[in-house]
């Protein structure tokens, strides 16, 4: 006898690529600067600093302002990093 309903629980590891600004924070430490000083020398808003701290996307203009102020390249302040997230897929299909 065939089952009418098949229930399966599958955990699938999904690799996502996210922006990381860890290099920026390391560079600031190396240069003995803090977030407030970064804001002052770049002219970027506190909201943008918060977005950077939360690894959220920011306007390209802000990235350019940071690079100009710190005399560095984009690759010196940010990188693409992998982030694991787990999805649970619960199919419920009739056979």
């Amino acid at each position: 006898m065939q089952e009418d309903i098949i229930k399966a629980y599958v955990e699938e590891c999904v690799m996502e690529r996210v922006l990381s600004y860890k290099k920026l924070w390391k560079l600031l430490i190396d240069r003995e600067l803090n977030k407030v000083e970064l804001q002052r020398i770049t002219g970027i808003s506190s909201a943008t600093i918060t977005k950077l701290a939360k690894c959220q996307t920011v306007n390209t203009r802000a990235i350019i302002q940071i690079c100009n102020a710190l005399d560095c390249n984009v690759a010196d302040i940010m990188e693409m990093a992998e982030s694991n997230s787990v999805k649970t897929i619960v199919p419920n299909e009739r056979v």
Side-chain angles (χ1 to χ4, degrees), residues 11-14 84-88:
E11 287 189 354
E12 178 181 295
C13 182
V14 179
N84 291 334
S85 65
V86 178
K87 274 190 194 176
T88 301

Side-chain angles (χ1 to χ4, degrees), residues 8-33:
Y9 296 92
V10 179
E11 287 189 354
E12 178 181 295
C13 182
V14 179
M15 299 298 281
E16 292 181 9
R17 294 186 50 93
V18 295
L19 282 178
S20 170
Y21 299 103
K22 287 181 183 179
K23 288 182 166 187
L24 171 61
W25 309 127
K26 183 179 181 322
L27 184 62
L28 291 181
I29 291 168
D30 291 346
R31 296 190 184 186
E32 298 180 356
L33 296 170

Side-chain angles (χ1 to χ4, degrees), residues 2-92:
Q2 222 178 14
E3 289 184 13
D4 291 337
I5 298 174
I6 297 174
K7 292 182 181 181
Y9 296 92
V10 179
E11 287 189 354
E12 178 181 295
C13 182
V14 179
M15 299 298 281
E16 292 181 9
R17 294 186 50 93
V18 295
L19 282 178
S20 170
Y21 299 103
K22 287 181 183 179
K23 288 182 166 187
L24 171 61
W25 309 127
K26 183 179 181 322
L27 184 62
L28 291 181
I29 291 168
D30 291 346
R31 296 190 184 186
E32 298 180 356
L33 296 170
N34 61 36
K35 293 176 185 177
V36 174
E37 292 167 325
L38 177 65
Q39 183 181 351
R40 182 182 53 77
I41 65 175
T42 60
I44 61 178
S45 69
S46 59
T48 299
I49 298 289
T50 301
K51 286 182 178 183
L52 291 166
K54 293 180 179 182
C55 288
Q56 296 176 347
T57 57
V58 296
N59 190 303
T60 307
R61 180 173 288 137
I63 300 297
I64 292 168
Q65 287 174 274
I66 293 169
C67 289
N68 286 339
L70 298 177
D71 192 29
C72 65
N73 292 312
V74 173
D76 296 328
I77 64 168
M78 59 189 278
E79 65 185 344
M80 295 297 294
E82 291 182 355
S83 171
N84 291 334
S85 65
V86 178
K87 274 190 194 176
T88 301
I89 301 170
V90 185
N92 187 4

